[in-house]
């Protein structure tokens, strides 16, 4: 692995997540109404590149990209047929 050659350390794979799995994004109290759900079901796309947020997710209901670090991933369920 190139990272092992460059840094001299073997990379950690335990933090990698399955592409396309179910993800539940927490909606903060200020952005939801009184009886609205506390999370939104999304699809995991990958990791955020700028370091400010943890994950990039796709919200199929709103048809938009969501960036958040407050996410619960369900890697037992793949949602690839629902993208787009």
């Amino acid at each position: 692995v190139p990272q092992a050659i460059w840094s001299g350390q073997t990379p950690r794979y335990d933090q990698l997540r399955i592409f396309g799995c179910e993800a539940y994004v927490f909606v903060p109290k200020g952005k939801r109404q009184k009886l609205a759900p506390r999370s939104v079901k999304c699809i995991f796309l990958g990791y955020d590149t700028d370091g400010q947020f943890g994950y990039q997710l796709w919200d199929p209901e709103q048809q938009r990209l969501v960036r958040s670090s407050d996410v619960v991933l369900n890697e037992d369920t793949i949602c690839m047929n629902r993208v787009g």
Side-chain angles (χ1 to χ4, degrees):
V1 178
Q3 182 181 355
I5 295 169
W6 292 326
S7 67
Q9 300 174 343
T10 56
R12 294 181 55 188
Y13 297 111
D14 59 337
Q15 296 176 350
L16 294 178
R17 302 293 174 230
I18 297 173
F19 176 82
C21 68
E22 275 185 351
Y24 295 91
V25 180
F26 177 72
V27 179
K29 198 172 200 177
K31 292 189 177 184
R32 66 174 187 253
Q33 295 188 3
K34 189 172 185 178
L35 298 176
R38 293 183 180 194
S39 66
V40 176
K41 185 176 177 182
C42 294
I43 300 169
F44 174 72
L45 297 178
Y47 302 96
D48 198 30
T49 55
D50 66 2
Q52 184 177 3
F53 299 98
Y55 302 107
Q56 289 185 356
L57 310 134
W58 178 253
D59 182 358
E61 295 280 325
Q62 300 291 322
Q63 296 287 310
R64 66 185 180 104
L65 184 67
V66 177
R67 295 168 41 189
S68 177
S69 60
D70 202 356
V71 177
V72 174
L73 298 170
N74 180 9
E75 295 183 278
D76 295 331
T77 306
I78 304 296
C79 302
M80 289 304 297
N81 59 347
R82 295 183 213 148
V83 173

